[in-house]
Amino acid sequence: MDPLISRRALNRATLDRQHLLRRTGNTVTEVVEHLGGLQAQTPHTWYTGLWTRVEGFKPADAADLLLSRELVRIALQRGTIHLVTARDCLAVRPLLQPAIGRMTRSTFGKRLEGVDLDELAATARELLEERPMTFAELGGKLAERWPSNDPHALGQGVRWLVPLVQVPPRGLWGRSGPVAHTSAESWLDVEAPPMTPAELVLRYLAAFGPASVMDVQTWSGLTRLGEVVESLDLVRFRDESGLTLYDLPDAARPGEDAPAPVRLMYDFDNLFLSHADRSRVIDDTGRAALQGYVGTNVVPRVILVDGFTAGDWTVARAKGTSTLTVHQWTPIPVLEEVEAEARRLLEFLAPGDKHEISISDKPSKPGH
């Protein structure tokens, strides 16, 4: 029988690989690549995800890499925008293309009827490589060629058929800009062979393991990975429910008593989105609190205490004062540690402001 790994031990192993037991001195590109990218559909909140993990992180450490094109934001896992290295952009996107296509066809397939997809891709490439465009601009141009089709659907079809990166200034810290796209191939001056399913599984386990087949499928959006996992040289465990988990043979698995410091996470952190069974970080109280956000298209910024969900945090700015509110989902026994980390986060988010900490005994409300 496979050895048992407790939920707390599973928690500590995952936090360790996510650089959440201790901040790392690795470079931003090393961290982004190790994590398999950071979910980044919001233009700026993912910076907090790097601050939480990288010792001494400054916004320019990532913004400069977006400008130099060493990092890019592109639709990858689950069809969502991820911050990845240039090499991973080109290596991972071909592997995930079928999953992105499946999602696009299910939503926009009928509105793309009668469109030659090869011609659509070629036409869009020519337009986008001449100058970056928003989807509204691109859809309008494509509708000149396909006037009977929905311009929005045409643009989303291109998002599936052509790897599109969002170009700066979108995504730069403290700046804004249109959600303009161009092709990854024209934007990046690197080459990378497509990643294999086996390589993707190994990368996933290095950042999120130990994990089940369903876990890696949840993260990647791919299906039928059972045979791939079984073909690899992996060790096996069983969790407290009896589910088989796989892991890299030489991966670190700290004991369940390893200390886990307070962490203030950003809203779309993959720590909470990359397992079919999220109980390794979301306890029963957290699961109940998160039900209040279902259907709102809002994800709270979660506070981890002893490795598990204990609350969320919000920030409001008025008249030069930034106030971070700690929303307790359950009474937090180490509230002073949470407040200390919150003050450090405010120094990162709003270094020129006066800082205040507020404590609430209720979860935040969506939209606040």
Side-chain angles (χ1 to χ4, degrees):
M1 182 177 291
D2 298 327
L4 174 70
I5 184 167
S6 70
R7 187 169 70 122
R8 283 185 63 86
L10 197 57
N11 171 274
R12 294 315 197 248
T14 307
L15 294 181
D16 185 54
R17 295 178 208 190
Q18 287 284 307
H19 300 307
L20 292 170
L21 291 186
R22 67 197 66 81
R23 286 179 168 87
T24 179
N26 292 346
T27 67
V28 169
T29 52
E30 289 170 339
V31 171
V32 171
E33 199 154 281
H34 167 75
L35 296 174
L38 281 79
Q39 191 157 326
Q41 66 263 51
T42 57
H44 301 125
T45 63
W46 52 267
Y47 281 86
T48 298
L50 289 171
W51 174 84
T52 303
R53 292 171 166 90
V54 179
E55 189 69 43
F57 175 75
K58 301 291 189 295
D61 297 340
D64 290 349
L65 294 172
L66 282 172
L67 285 171
S68 66
R69 309 188 187 188
E70 295 172 72
L71 294 179
V72 293
R73 295 167 63 244
I74 184 173
L76 288 176
Q77 295 99 311
R78 306 178 299 278
T80 56
I81 299 296
H82 274 66
L83 175 81
V84 292
T85 62
R87 180 172 61 181
D88 273 2
C89 171
L90 297 177
V92 176
R93 177 57 190 250
L95 180 59
L96 301 184
Q97 189 78 357
I100 296 172
R102 184 174 64 249
M103 289 182 282
T104 305
R105 286 193 299 271
S106 68
T107 305
F108 298 100
K110 290 185 177 180
R111 285 183 273 174
L112 290 173
E113 288 180 354
V115 176
D116 183 302
L117 297 181
D118 289 337
E119 184 181 354
L120 176 64
T123 302
R125 274 188 181 275
E126 184 175 348
L127 290 169
L128 293 170
E129 292 178 1
E130 181 178 333
R131 68 174 179 87
M133 292 184 178
T134 66
F135 280 130
E137 293 174 312
L138 177 62
K141 285 289 186 181
L142 294 172
E144 296 174 6
R145 168 63 184 84
W146 290 279
S148 299
N149 295 92
D150 175 20
H152 179 62
L154 292 169
Q156 291 302 304
V158 175
R159 186 179 187 266
W160 155 35
L161 299 167
V162 181
L164 299 180
V165 298
Q166 291 189 11
V167 301
R170 187 73 174 179
L172 297 181
W173 183 260
R175 297 178 60 184
S176 187
V179 189
H181 303 81
T182 190
S183 72
E185 295 88 348
S186 68
W187 185 253
L188 301 175
D189 189 25
V190 297
E191 295 183 2
M195 189 174 289
T196 67
E199 289 172 330
L200 189 72
V201 169
L202 294 175
R203 289 279 298 277
Y204 171 79
L205 291 175
F208 294 96
S212 69
V213 173
M214 285 301 299
D215 287 332
V216 66
Q217 291 184 166
T218 296
W219 170 75
S220 65
L222 298 178
T223 58
R224 301 179 181 178
L225 291 178
E227 291 184 4
V228 175
V229 172
E230 289 289 351
S231 72
L232 297 171
D233 179 22
L234 302 172
V235 294
R236 295 163 54 119
F237 298 92
R238 57 186 172 89
D239 67 11
E240 293 177 354
S241 67
L243 185 67
T244 299
L245 305 179
Y246 300 84
D247 204 7
L248 306 175
D250 57 351
R253 287 178 287 274
E256 59 182 33
D257 293 330
V262 167
R263 292 290 184 248
L264 275 63
M265 311 296 290
Y266 78 104
D267 44 3
F268 289 97
D269 201 296
N270 268 336
L271 176 71
F272 306 107
L273 303 171
S274 301
H275 297 90
D277 179 359
R278 300 170 185 178
S279 64
R280 69 182 64 203
V281 288
I282 302 175
D283 60 14
D284 291 342
T285 300
R287 195 157 40 247
L290 290 169
Q291 283 297 312
Y293 298 89
V294 173
T296 66
N297 202 31
V298 173
V299 179
R301 290 169 282 193
V302 170
I303 299 170
L304 294 180
V305 175
D306 191 30
F308 292 91
T309 50
D312 69 282
W313 60 276
T314 56
V315 172
R317 186 172 189 269
K319 298 180 180 180
T321 296
S322 288
T323 301
L324 189 151
T325 300
V326 173
H327 300 268
Q328 299 183 94
W329 297 352
T330 185
I332 296 176
V334 292
L335 203 51
E336 289 184 359
E337 294 180 25
V338 175
E339 291 186 41
E341 183 73 351
R343 292 189 184 280
R344 287 188 285 268
L345 179 55
L346 283 175
E347 288 290 346
F348 171 77
L349 295 174
D353 279 7
K354 178 183 176 183
H355 300 149
E356 293 185 358
I357 305 297
S358 175
I359 307 297
S360 170
D361 293 330
K362 296 180 180 179
S364 64
K365 296 181 180 179
H368 290 77

